[in-house]
């Protein structure tokens, strides 16, 4: 399993790459615990990152195994996402030209919304920024941002 | 430096607008009409590099420009494909439109993040929309500025003369004359007017002016200084928005004398006589006069005619009417500029999309996805399913995991079928009903464990289904976890009389029975194998991680290379499923389709505890059945889907699905039929031919083939 998003240097033409991790749906308290045990981004070698999509929903990257205290949690390997790696500057430029919402000032930060008409999650953190979307939208995102 | 105007080279000085350069060359941009050089009138409109309605006074001349006069309606652009226009969305507390003195003062007086735009910098504000959102054309592209409030400091426009001869060349407003003088352009003998004249005289170019007292003055040019009126169109289009008008744009403005004759609205060519005509017919309010004459609806959006229209009505009423509502756009906009930032709704691509293209599939959009329609030999596709084995991409199906101590109760209360008695490893077909008992989706319930289920939904219904399940889980207050797996799992349907053999070849010997499922590796790829049948043959749905789809597909292809394996697309699938009489939600069902109307009473267990839609079914079941979806068969080719069913002379229903069945040698259909004289017709006319009611499934009614 690919643990960490590619370290491919940011390119001017966006290229989507597969993203693999663990999807965890659990009670919010156990996800809070999980977030507490894993470092806040940026991910580094062998360290995971929890991208919290919702209080009870997260995508965990960079971990071989995920354990949560919620006995009824759904923990599934998930390869249904793709990402475009880029610099924060590039991501902010894409937000300005393809989104109807402003980028928040906090760093690192995960924001979710529409970009170029597609549902995305944008992770802003310096040179490790990335745009994430569901795999079925991957090529569409690449085409729309590449024009 | 030069550009061309109607093929003629026109030299220009640095900073010249196109209009100034043309006037320096002795050319009136439109042939005649009072020039304002303020962007307020239509008298300098030209085509620039193919773009029509360009205000030449607001456009800086550039070397190589192709400028053409614009007489009448401009032709449509030759090319329909235009380069996309870049758009940036920016955010601010305040947007100030206009950077004259009032605009600069306003900017100095406020705190917070302020954005300003000014036509003098090439930033033309096109309109203000709800938000407020200010749309601006800039040299670098479009800007969509979202803000808390807007200050309009756009100044005032100069009044233009309305009288015979006002369409001659050589008439300038005071400010225009000053600009031309600064540009070193000699206007010759000039006459300066501070009152409206009786008329201008000349042939194409003004040579004299007749004053109110009848006296005549000879001249080469006339400079009119008739007063100002607020340039406040942007403020007037923002009714109810946080918009403040300052400076000259906020001044009341004095009304000119009412026009007596001549062209009031040069854009729409509205004469004073036209105003008289609509007034006499009862159109006596500003908005009605505007609509009846189209005055104020042209390019300048009332820049010339508005004060004169108000004056005309004021002279006939007790008070001056308010200005009419302004509407975007205040400046011409190309379709590319208007479309900037607009994105079409996307269609998803399955993890096998490229594989389908490799196989030569004709792709089509269906249920929010790109799907293979044909590969392209639809006969081979059909034949493979009925006689050998075939692969179908069903990764578009909605897929969901539901887990938790409340999972059983949630599904029992959500679905009209029984759930609790479903054993782990079991599969049950299920309808999804709304509160009115209408079918909104269908799919499978696969039990994984006591507290864990895998659900499937239709391709087009998946997003709604997720919302539906989540909403009800919250409403019921049940302790469940829900995860939509639609985008994360691919699915391949392996179907045909040799499907089992194919699965065995890939190392799966312990295959699930009909309506059962299991987790197993297929060609080394972890799959949830669900045994069911939509095609009417033995079928296994292989749900697997999307990143392994191509690998799995190719392994299946390779394993079936010697048994006439051929993939099938939607076209073949629609024939196959119709032969089995399977309906498709939204295609065969209508918004008010109950299980009873669909002939699926068995799928709604009214003897179980309450479920969504149960009370509605209990009530409506007391009403005699008045329409139902039934099977039909007929000889000859299939009629067009949607064809009307005629009984006697009366339309009694319509065909929802219609295909010629190769295996049955006749056309089979599903169609809605209404109760007629207390009975459902057994024979109807479709396309002038006889169609007979027929029980479905049409093919393999006992289901032996599907059960294998």
């Amino acid at each position: 399993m690919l643990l960490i998003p590619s370290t491919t240097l940011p390119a001017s033409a966006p290229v989507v790459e597969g993203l693999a991790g663990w999807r965890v749906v659990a009670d919010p308290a156990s996800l809070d615990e999980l977030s507490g045990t894993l470092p806040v981004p940026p991910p580094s070698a062998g360290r995971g990152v929890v991208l919290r999509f919702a209080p009870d929903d997260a995508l965990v990257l960079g971990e071989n195994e995920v354990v949560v205290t919620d006995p009824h949690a759904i923990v599934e390997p998930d390869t249904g996402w793709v990402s475009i790696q880029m610099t924060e500057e590039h991501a902010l430029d894409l937000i300005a030209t393809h989104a109807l919402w402003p980028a928040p000032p906090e760093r690192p930060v995960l924001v979710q919304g529409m970009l170029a008409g597609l549902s995305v999650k944008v992770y802003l953190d310096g040179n490790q920024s990335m745009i994430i979307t569901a795999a079925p939208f991957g090529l569409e995102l690449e085409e729309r941002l590449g024009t | 430096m030069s550009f061309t105007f109607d093929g003629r080279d026109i030299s220009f000085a640095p900073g010249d607008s196109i209009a100034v350069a043309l006037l320096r060359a002795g050319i009136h941009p439109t042939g005649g009409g009072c020039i304002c050089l303020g962007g307020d009138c239509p008298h300098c409109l030209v085509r620039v590099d193919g773009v029509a309605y360009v205000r030449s006074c607001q456009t800086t001349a550039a070397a190589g420009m192709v400028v053409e006069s614009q007489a009448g309606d401009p032709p449509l652009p030759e090319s329909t494909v235009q380069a996309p226009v870049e758009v940036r969305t920016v955010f601010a507390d305040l947007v100030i439109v206009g950077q004259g003195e009032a605009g600069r003062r306003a900017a100095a007086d406020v705190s917070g993040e302020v954005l300003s735009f000014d036509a003098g910098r090439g930033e033309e504000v096109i309109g203000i929309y709800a938000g407020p959102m200010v749309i601006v054309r800039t040299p670098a592209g479009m800007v969509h500025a979202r803000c808390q409030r807007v200050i309009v400091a756009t100044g005032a426009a100069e009044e233009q003369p309305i009288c015979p001869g006002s369409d001659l060349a050589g008439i300038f407003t005071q400010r225009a004359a000053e600009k031309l003088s600064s540009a070193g352009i000699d206007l010759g003998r000039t006459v300066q007017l501070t009152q409206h004249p009786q008329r201008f005289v000349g042939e194409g170019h003004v040579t004299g002016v007749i004053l109110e007292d009848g006296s005549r003055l000879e001249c080469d040019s006339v400079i009119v200084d008739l007063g100002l009126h607020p340039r406040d169109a942007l403020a007037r289009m923002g009714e109810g928005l946080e918009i403040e008008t300052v400076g000259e744009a906020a001044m009341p403005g004095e009304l000119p004398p009412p026009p007596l004759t001549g062209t009031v609205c040069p854009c729409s060519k509205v004469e004073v006589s036209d105003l008289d005509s609509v007034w006499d017919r009862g159109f006596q309010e500003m908005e009605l006069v505007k609509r009846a004459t189209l005055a104020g609806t042209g390019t300048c959006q009332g820049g010339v005619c508005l004060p004169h229209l108000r004056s005309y009505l004021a002279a006939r009423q007790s008070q001056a009417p308010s200005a009419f509502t302004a509407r975007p756009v205040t400046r011409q906009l190309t379709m590319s500029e208007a479309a900037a930032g607009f994105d079409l709704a996307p269609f998803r691509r399955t993890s096998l999309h490229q594989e389908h293209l490799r196989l030569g599939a004709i792709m089509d959009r269906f249920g929010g996805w790109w799907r293979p329609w044909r590969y392209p030999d639809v006969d081979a596709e059909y034949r493979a399913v009925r006689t050998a084995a075939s692969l179908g991409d069903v990764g578009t199906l909605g897929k969901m995991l539901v887990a938790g101590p409340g999972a059983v109760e949630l599904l029992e209360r959500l679905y009209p079928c029984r759930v609790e008695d479903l054993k782990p490893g079991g599969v049950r077909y299920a309808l999804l009903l709304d509160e009115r008992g209408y079918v909104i989706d269908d799919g499978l319930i696969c039990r994984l464990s006591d507290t864990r289920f895998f659900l499937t939904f239709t391709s087009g219904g998946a997003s709604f289904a997720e919302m539906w399940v989540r909403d009800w889980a919250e409403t019921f207050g049940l302790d469940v976890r829900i995860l939509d797996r639609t985008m994360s799992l691919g699915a391949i349907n392996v179907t045909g009389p040799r499907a089992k053999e194919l699965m065995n070849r890939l190392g799966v010997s312990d295959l699930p029975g009909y309506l059962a499922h299991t987790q197993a590796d297929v060609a080394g790829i972890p799959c949830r194998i669900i045994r069911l049948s939509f095609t009417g043959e033995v079928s296994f749905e292989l749900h697997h991680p999307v990143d392994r789809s191509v690998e799995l597909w190719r392994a299946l292809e390779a394993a079936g290379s010697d048994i006439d394996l051929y993939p099938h697309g939607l076209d073949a699938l629609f024939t196959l499923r119709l032969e089995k009489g399977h309906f498709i939600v939204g295609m065969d069902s209508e918004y008010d389709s109950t299980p009873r109307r669909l002939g699926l009473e068995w799928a709604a267990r009214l003897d179980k505890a309450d479920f969504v839609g149960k009370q509605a079914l209990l009530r409506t079941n007391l009403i005699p059945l008045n329409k139902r979806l039934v099977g039909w068969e007929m000889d000859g080719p299939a009629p067009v889907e949607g064809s009307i069913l005629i009984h006697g002379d009366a339309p009694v229903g319509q065909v929802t699905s219609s295909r010629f069945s190769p295996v049955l040698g006749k056309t089979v259909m599903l169609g809605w039929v209404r109760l007629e004289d207390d009975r459902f017709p057994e024979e109807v006319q479709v396309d002038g031919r006889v169609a007979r009611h027929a029980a479905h499934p049409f093919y393999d009614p006992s289901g032996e083939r599907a059960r294998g």
Side-chain angles (χ1 to χ4, degrees):
Chain A
M1 175 182 289
L2 175 66
L3 298 180
I4 295 287
S6 154
T7 54
T8 304
L9 288 174
S12 55
V15 178
V16 294
E17 297 178 279
L19 197 61
W22 293 91
R23 192 73 180 276
V24 185
V25 175
D27 68 66
S30 64
L31 273 181
D32 287 345
E33 288 175 31
L34 180 67
S35 299
T37 60
L38 297 176
V40 169
S44 54
R47 308 295 301 276
V49 53
V50 180
L51 300 177
R52 197 79 171 259
F53 294 167
D56 65 346
D57 186 357
L59 177 67
V60 181
L61 303 174
E63 289 292 305
N64 289 318
E65 184 181 26
V66 172
V67 178
V68 289
T69 54
D70 177 2
H72 304 292
I74 297 173
V75 181
E76 292 283 326
D78 196 345
T79 54
W81 301 93
V82 294
S83 71
I84 300 175
Q85 312 290 312
M86 59 186 63
T87 63
E88 183 179 313
E89 183 184 15
H90 191 182
L92 292 174
D93 188 58
L94 291 173
I95 290 171
T97 51
H98 291 87
L100 303 180
W101 38 271
E106 303 85 20
R107 298 291 181 274
V109 68
L110 178 75
V111 286
Q112 306 181 75
M114 300 294 279
L115 190 75
L118 301 167
S119 177
V120 301
K121 302 161 194 304
V122 183
Y123 174 63
L124 294 171
D125 185 23
N127 284 335
Q128 302 195 64
S129 299
M130 59 180 161
I131 297 172
I132 301 169
T133 193
F137 291 127
L139 289 175
E140 191 77 34
L141 182 69
E142 188 177 289
E143 289 168 7
R144 292 187 181 199
L145 298 186
T147 56
Chain B
M1 295 185 293
S2 67
F3 61 83
T4 63
F5 180 73
D6 289 344
R8 174 182 161 187
D9 277 336
I10 306 293
S11 298
F12 62 90
D16 273 359
S17 66
I18 294 172
V20 167
L22 290 173
L23 291 165
R24 180 181 280 116
I27 299 170
H28 188 293
T30 59
C34 179
I35 293 285
C36 74
L37 298 186
D40 298 310
C41 76
H43 297 139
C44 69
L45 296 178
V46 292
R47 278 162 43 100
V48 178
D49 294 334
V51 177
Y53 295 108
V54 174
R55 285 167 164 79
S56 61
C57 71
Q58 304 289 294
T59 309
T60 304
M65 273 180 168
V66 177
V67 183
E68 300 162 281
S69 57
Q70 181 180 302
D73 295 330
L76 291 171
E78 289 176 9
S79 170
T80 56
V81 179
Q82 304 289 327
V85 174
E86 183 160 327
V87 60
R88 299 189 82 81
T89 300
V90 295
F91 299 84
D93 297 308
L94 171 67
V95 166
I96 300 176
V97 185
Q99 280 297 283
E101 187 184 338
R104 289 195 301 273
R105 197 165 51 242
D109 290 345
V110 296
S111 58
E113 199 165 343
V114 179
L115 285 173
S116 66
F117 300 103
D118 189 79
R121 303 191 301 234
E123 300 156 345
E124 294 184 280
V125 174
I126 303 299
I128 301 176
Y129 292 83
M133 179 168 68
V134 182
I135 307 295
V136 193
R137 177 182 30 234
T138 75
M142 302 299 291
V143 171
H144 294 182
R146 292 171 180 269
C147 57
Q148 301 298 315
R149 64 190 184 102
V150 181
I151 290 179
V152 173
T154 43
E158 295 172 282
E159 279 173 20
Q160 298 229 348
I162 304 296
C163 63
S166 61
D167 57 349
L168 293 172
I171 307 170
F172 304 93
T173 65
Q174 176 67 34
R175 291 174 182 172
E178 288 169 3
K179 287 179 183 173
L180 293 174
S181 175
S182 298
I185 297 173
D186 182 9
L187 299 180
R189 290 178 300 156
T190 60
V191 167
Q192 188 141 8
L193 299 178
T194 56
Q195 291 189 328
H196 285 261
Q198 192 182 104
R199 60 183 299 166
F200 298 101
V201 293
E203 292 290 331
H205 194 282
V206 68
T207 55
V209 57
I210 310 293
L211 302 179
E212 271 299 302
D213 62 5
S215 60
R216 175 179 177 131
L217 299 174
E218 302 299 324
C219 61
D220 299 318
S221 303
V222 178
I223 300 169
V224 293
D225 187 8
L226 304 173
L228 300 173
H229 65 96
R231 193 187 280 140
D232 60 353
L234 290 171
R236 283 186 285 113
M237 71 178 58
E239 181 78 25
L241 301 179
E242 286 291 324
I243 298 178
E244 181 186 357
T245 312
V246 300
E248 288 183 326
M251 71 180 191
E254 290 184 15
L255 291 184
L260 301 175
T261 181
T263 304
V264 178
C265 172
C267 297
S268 299
K269 303 286 187 282
V270 178
E271 305 284 326
V272 174
S273 58
D274 297 320
L275 299 183
D276 293 339
S277 172
V278 299
W279 175 272
D280 291 343
R281 284 184 283 146
F283 298 98
Q284 299 178 351
E285 294 175 8
M286 177 62 93
E287 296 289 349
L288 294 179
V289 170
K290 176 184 175 184
R291 284 158 178 75
T293 63
L294 298 184
T297 63
T299 315
C300 80
Q301 290 285 292
V304 172
C305 68
L306 179 56
H308 300 287
L309 287 173
R310 293 182 68 213
S311 176
Y312 176 90
L313 293 173
R316 288 158 176 77
Q317 297 169 331
S318 57
Q319 61 182 20
S322 301
F324 49 66
T325 302
R327 304 191 189 283
V329 295
T330 60
R331 291 289 187 265
Q332 104 289 345
L333 203 62
T334 66
M335 292 301 289
S336 298
E337 289 167 338
F342 177 81
D343 294 293
L344 294 172
F347 279 83
R348 290 165 285 182
R349 301 177 213 195
T350 74
S351 47
L352 291 165
H353 187 85
Q354 297 300 325
E355 203 66 3
H356 301 318
L357 298 180
R358 176 183 68 82
L359 292 167
I362 298 166
M363 306 298 288
D364 203 350
R365 286 166 279 205
F366 201 87
W369 294 81
W370 282 105
R371 303 189 68 177
W373 179 247
R374 290 181 177 182
Y375 281 95
D377 185 347
V378 68
D379 294 334
E381 296 170 39
Y382 176 90
R383 196 165 51 247
V385 175
R386 286 282 179 252
T387 64
S390 179
L391 306 179
D393 181 0
V394 291
T396 59
L397 289 169
K399 313 170 204 76
M400 182 185 293
L401 276 172
V402 176
V408 172
E409 185 179 349
L410 171 64
L411 302 185
E412 278 288 8
R413 295 172 71 171
L414 201 57
Y415 286 109
C417 64
R418 291 195 188 285
V419 177
E420 192 165 17
D421 65 349
L422 185 64
K423 300 281 187 280
V427 174
R428 187 158 290 163
Y429 171 78
L431 297 174
L432 205 60
L433 308 182
D434 65 14
E435 300 93 323
R436 298 170 298 179
Y438 300 155
V439 174
I440 53 174
D441 206 6
D442 70 346
L444 301 176
I445 303 171
C446 306
R447 191 162 195 169
L448 307 179
S449 69
D450 285 349
T451 59
R452 199 176 175 95
F453 294 84
F454 181 70
L455 312 176
T456 69
F457 303 93
T458 61
S459 302
S463 298
F464 179 85
E466 186 197 1
M467 178 274 289
W468 188 254
V469 175
R470 287 186 187 281
D471 276 2
W472 283 110
E474 277 188 27
T475 301
F476 296 145
L478 295 169
D479 185 10
V480 293
R481 320 285 177 266
I482 297 167
L483 175 59
D484 187 343
R485 298 286 278 162
T486 304
M487 310 282 207
S488 299
L489 295 178
I492 296 171
N493 188 28
V494 183
T495 183
R498 302 185 74 174
K500 284 183 181 175
E501 181 184 344
L502 193 60
M503 296 292 288
N504 290 335
R505 288 182 181 190
L506 288 173
V508 190
S509 53
D510 191 14
L511 289 165
Y514 187 65
L515 287 181
H517 68 93
T518 190
Q519 180 73 32
D521 282 357
V522 181
I525 296 161
C527 293
R528 177 152 305 284
I529 306 172
I530 303 175
R531 173 84 187 276
L532 72 160
S533 182
F534 194 54
T535 63
E537 307 294 340
V538 170
S539 301
F540 301 94
E541 275 183 14
L542 311 181
H543 295 253
H544 58 277
V546 285
D547 62 328
R548 308 290 298 274
S549 293
V550 173
E551 189 183 344
L552 179 58
W553 180 275
R554 289 186 180 178
L556 289 161
E557 268 189 331
S561 59
D562 62 340
I563 57 169
D564 296 328
L565 182 101
Y566 198 92
H568 65 275
L570 281 182
D571 193 4
L573 183 63
F574 284 170
T575 301
L576 294 159
R577 69 91 193 178
L578 183 56
E579 289 174 340
K580 283 298 291 180
H582 293 310
F583 85 113
I584 293 179
V585 175
M587 187 167 158
D588 297 298
S589 63
E590 299 184 327
Y591 80 96
D592 62 351
S593 297
T594 58
R596 187 169 62 136
R597 285 174 167 166
L598 291 167
L600 298 171
E601 293 97 324
W602 58 268
R605 299 299 298 264
L606 296 174
D607 57 343
K608 71 174 232 183
D610 208 11
F611 57 84
V612 175
K614 179 181 176 182
Q615 296 307 315
L617 294 184
L618 290 173
R619 282 198 312 278
T620 56
N621 279 355
L622 299 175
I623 302 169
L625 188 63
N626 62 346
K627 68 173 185 178
R628 59 180 184 164
L629 185 73
V630 297
W632 302 92
E633 60 182 28
M634 64 191 294
D635 299 325
V640 173
E641 288 170 352
S643 295
I644 303 298
L645 305 181
I646 304 287
H647 184 245
D649 292 330
V652 292
Q654 78 279 355
V655 174
T656 58
S657 294
S658 167
R659 293 282 170 141
F660 183 82
S661 166
V663 73
L664 300 172
K666 60 187 174 188
T667 286
V668 293
M669 300 179 285
L670 289 176
W672 285 98
V673 63
R674 286 198 298 274
L675 200 64
E676 190 77 358
D677 298 330
D678 291 331
R679 51 193 290 269
F680 289 103
E682 289 292 311
E683 204 169 88
V684 294
Q685 294 275 322
V686 182
D687 260 2
R689 291 179 284 151
V690 173
R692 300 164 298 278
H693 171 224
H696 61 279
F698 307 101
Y699 171 75
D700 186 29
S702 66
E704 284 178 28
R705 293 183 69 86
R707 287 180 172 81

